[in-house]
Amino acid sequence: MAVLKRLNINKFTSEADNDAFIEELKKMWLAWENPSIATNISVDINKDRNDPTRMTAFVSASGNDAINAMNEWSKNVVMPVRDKYQHENILIDADLVASISK
């Protein structure tokens, strides 16, 4: 099963907007229930240490079903909330080709 990685970077106009969106995003992820893919997807939400107006979400998904379900949920739930804030967005989707740990 393919592992897909998504990096979503958002830069807001203020740290307060960034913090508010991060809090909303955490609540949305915790509230999202999709039993068929629950064990096939995870997210790490991060606030940039050097730029307090920027945050990232790293999503790992096992298989296309998980990423497709997340895409639909994100389009209907996350994006309308994020779009309340003035922001810039970069979205990178990638296939995991190596995972190295020592």
Side-chain angles (χ1 to χ4, degrees):
M1 182 176 303
V3 175
L4 303 129
K5 297 286 189 172
R6 170 170 288 170
L7 173 61
N8 198 327
I9 304 167
N10 292 298
K11 181 167 176 58
F12 296 91
T13 56
S14 71
E15 183 176 9
D17 282 357
N18 188 20
D19 290 343
F21 178 68
I22 289 171
E23 286 306 312
E24 290 187 85
L25 185 58
K26 288 191 298 189
K27 290 175 186 172
M28 288 183 282
W29 269 103
L30 290 171
W32 184 37
E33 293 187 19
N34 191 327
S36 65
I37 64 161
T39 60
N40 295 330
I41 198 160
S42 66
V43 65
D44 294 310
I45 301 168
N46 307 275
K47 183 174 177 181
D48 193 310
R49 296 173 94 184
N50 299 312
D51 182 350
T53 66
R54 188 168 51 197
M55 60 80 63
T56 58
F58 293 96
V59 177
S60 297
S62 298
N64 287 326
D65 289 346
I67 203 79
N68 290 339
M70 192 216 44
N71 285 342
E72 190 65 25
W73 172 77
S74 180
K75 182 175 69 175
N76 294 320
V77 177
V78 176
M79 291 173 73
V81 171
R82 185 195 66 196
D83 290 346
K84 294 187 312 186
Y85 302 98
Q86 188 176 4
H87 70 283
E88 296 173 18
N89 177 263
I90 297 171
L91 179 68
I92 300 168
D93 282 336
D95 295 313
L96 179 64
V97 296
S99 183
I100 302 166
S101 60
K102 289 184 158 191

